């Protein structure tokens, strides 16, 4: 075996096992295992050459380094800034969304390097926002709640009523 064009002895590392067919098994992959591996099989007749290069890439899931506070209280007309930053390999992407599926306010929101800013706040901006951190290994979210002072949060428009022994009933509210 070679690793990065140097002779590699898998028996020198506890976390690497050489299987009976000559394959390597890495039991606990770390960044130290990243590299280009080749194998040159031999038997009583010699060898027919070296294998192709087998690349081991170590990827890290994202880690949220800076997340927004649990809750923000603002007034109509003010501005709010939600921070979010992350690391990982490959570098994660950071996007923002509302947990209720509504779009972020058009022309009043700005995302820059993971931070979401919403200006000229309105009553309808009240809600839960999520920082979504993604790379090819995993996706993480961090939530924050935005409360708009002196406003009443929108009421739920549907309820499910379920009592023991009775068929559940859906209730809807109309505005």
């Amino acid at each position: 075996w070679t690793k990065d064009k140097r002779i590699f002895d898998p028996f020198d590392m506890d976390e690497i096992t050489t299987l009976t067919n000559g394959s390597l098994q890495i039991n606990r992959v770390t960044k130290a295992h990243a590299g280009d591996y080749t194998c040159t099989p031999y038997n009583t007749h010699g060898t027919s050459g070296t294998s192709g290069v087998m690349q081991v890439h170590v990827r890290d899931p994202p880690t949220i380094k800076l997340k927004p506070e649990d809750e923000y209280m603002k007034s109509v007309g003010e501005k709010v800034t939600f921070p979010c930053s992350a690391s990982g390999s490959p570098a994660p992407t950071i996007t923002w969304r509302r947990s209720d599926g509504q779009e972020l306010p058009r022309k009043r929101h700005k995302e820059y390097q993971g931070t979401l800013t919403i200006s000229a706040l309105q009553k309808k901006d009240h809600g839960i926002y999520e920082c979504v951190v993604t790379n090819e290994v995993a996706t993480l979210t961090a939530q924050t709640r935005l409360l708009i002072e002196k406003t009443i949060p929108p009421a739920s428009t549907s309820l499910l009523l379920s009592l023991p022994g009775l068929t559940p009933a859906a209730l809807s509210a109309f505005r």
Side-chain angles (χ1 to χ4, degrees):
W1 282 96
T2 67
K3 179 183 175 215
D4 299 326
K5 298 182 181 180
R6 294 181 169 192
I7 294 175
F8 174 72
D9 185 358
F11 297 104
D12 284 347
M13 302 181 86
D14 292 337
E15 66 274 5
I16 297 182
T17 305
T18 303
L19 305 178
T20 55
N21 67 1
S23 298
L24 294 182
Q25 178 176 317
I26 304 173
N27 297 313
R28 288 191 182 138
V29 178
T30 67
K31 290 188 186 233
H33 298 109
D36 295 335
Y37 293 80
T38 59
C39 172
T40 307
Y42 292 92
N43 64 18
T44 55
H45 303 288
T47 183
S48 61
T50 300
S51 70
V53 175
M54 294 166 275
Q55 295 181 326
V56 174
H57 298 277
V58 179
R59 304 289 190 222
D60 292 326
T63 302
I64 297 177
K65 299 290 186 185
L66 176 63
K67 63 181 185 174
E69 295 176 21
D70 291 337
E71 192 172 273
Y72 292 80
M73 176 99 46
K74 296 290 181 178
S75 296
V76 170
E78 288 187 334
K79 169 173 84 169
V80 67
T81 300
F82 304 131
C84 192
S85 68
S87 63
S89 175
T93 59
I94 299 174
T95 57
W96 282 89
R97 67 183 180 203
R98 286 185 60 135
S99 68
D100 59 9
Q102 292 183 43
E103 287 187 22
L104 296 174
R106 290 185 183 207
K107 297 184 181 180
R108 294 187 298 113
H109 86 276
K110 183 169 135 183
E111 293 181 54
Y112 180 71
Q113 295 182 344
T115 297
L116 171 65
T117 302
I118 303 172
S119 57
L121 288 171
Q122 300 174 9
K123 176 183 173 180
K124 65 183 178 181
D125 296 327
H126 172 94
I128 297 173
Y129 293 79
E130 294 177 327
C131 170
V132 182
V133 177
T134 305
N135 72 7
E136 63 188 46
V137 181
T139 298
L140 303 175
T141 60
Q143 288 189 338
T144 185
R145 179 184 306 273
L146 174 60
L147 301 172
I148 305 298
E149 293 177 336
K150 299 179 186 171
T151 64
I152 299 170
S156 177
T157 56
S158 65
L159 299 170
L160 180 62
L161 177 63
S162 180
L163 299 172
L166 296 176
T167 304
L171 304 175
S172 296
F174 296 96
R175 295 180 187 203

